[in-house]
Amino acid sequence: MPSYEELSALLDPATTVLLTVECQQGVVGPDSALPELAKEARASGALAHVARLVAAAHDSGVQVIHAVAERRPDGRGANRNARLFRAAERLPVRQLTGTTAVRVASPIEVADEDLVVRRLHGLSPIAGTDVDALLRNLGCRTLIVTGVSANVAIPNAVFDAVNRGYTAVVPRDAIAGVPSDYTPAMIRNTLALVATVTTTDEVLACFKRPLKIT
């Protein structure tokens, strides 16, 4: 775990972006296509912690990007080269463009200044999307990764961020996967090797630091 001073140095509001991953109604909402994941995201407190981080980012001037996964009703451009994609086509709730399933889920609040990036393909919220270009234009150096799932999209996001030269910060209580014991194992054995692992409260403490007087 980093010290407050180390984490605070990383989380300069001018060069930090908070990314929420697939925190959408059709994934973590009450009518989720993945009820086990939705239950874990809420029961673990991860979704509530994401909402706290987003609210604090709004208050402290940290840019927020919401990464949403969706597909066209006709499926054009979507992957079919993995079992996960083929299974998603058969789910009763589909992440279709323009539906409530692809809206950012409560209790997360989307502000006017937030950016929402929607992807029609792949597993990563960064690779093959507008996120990397947006981060560079925003002057981002540190990317805080939150959301779901610890099984697939979160590690993809962390690896892609690191490969593109960003410092990844992962609040371990603001991500979720299934089963419940998988997330801490993923963090301990994989994410901790490439990202700065911390907690929501520690990030919030840095967001609330007093302004420097020069």
Side-chain angles (χ1 to χ4, degrees), residues 29-153:
D31 298 318
S32 170
L34 304 165
E36 184 181 1
L37 178 59
K39 180 179 178 181
E40 179 62 26
R42 292 179 179 274
S44 68
L47 192 60
H49 289 314
V50 175
R52 293 174 63 207
L53 287 165
V54 169
H58 292 159
D59 290 341
S60 60
V62 171
Q63 179 66 53
V64 178
I65 297 179
H66 304 281
V68 173
E70 60 182 49
R71 60 186 295 122
R72 288 167 49 113
D74 61 12
R76 288 182 183 272
N79 290 68
R80 293 182 178 83
N81 57 338
R83 187 175 68 176
L84 176 65
F85 300 123
R86 296 191 294 272
E89 293 178 343
R90 299 190 296 270
L91 293 173
V93 177
R94 301 174 67 199
Q95 315 300 317
L96 298 181
T97 300
T99 67
T100 58
V102 296
R103 294 179 184 171
V104 176
S106 174
I108 299 169
E109 295 188 2
V110 180
D112 290 340
E113 63 268 23
D114 292 0
L115 298 170
V116 179
V117 177
R118 303 179 183 278
R119 78 177 193 273
L120 292 172
H121 61 85
L123 299 170
S124 173
I126 297 178
T129 75
D130 290 337
V131 169
D132 183 37
L134 293 173
L135 294 177
R136 294 190 185 282
N137 289 344
L138 290 164
C140 176
R141 296 179 63 185
T142 300
L143 184 66
I144 305 171
V145 179
T146 67
V148 296
S149 71
N151 306 77
V152 178

Side-chain angles (χ1 to χ4, degrees), residues 2 10 12 15 20 33 43 46 57 59 67 69 105 113 119-120 145-147 163 165 173 177 186 191 210:
L10 286 178
D12 180 349
T15 57
T20 76
D59 290 341
E113 63 268 23
R119 78 177 193 273
L120 292 172
V145 179
T146 67
N163 285 334
D173 52 356
M186 163 61 79
L191 298 186

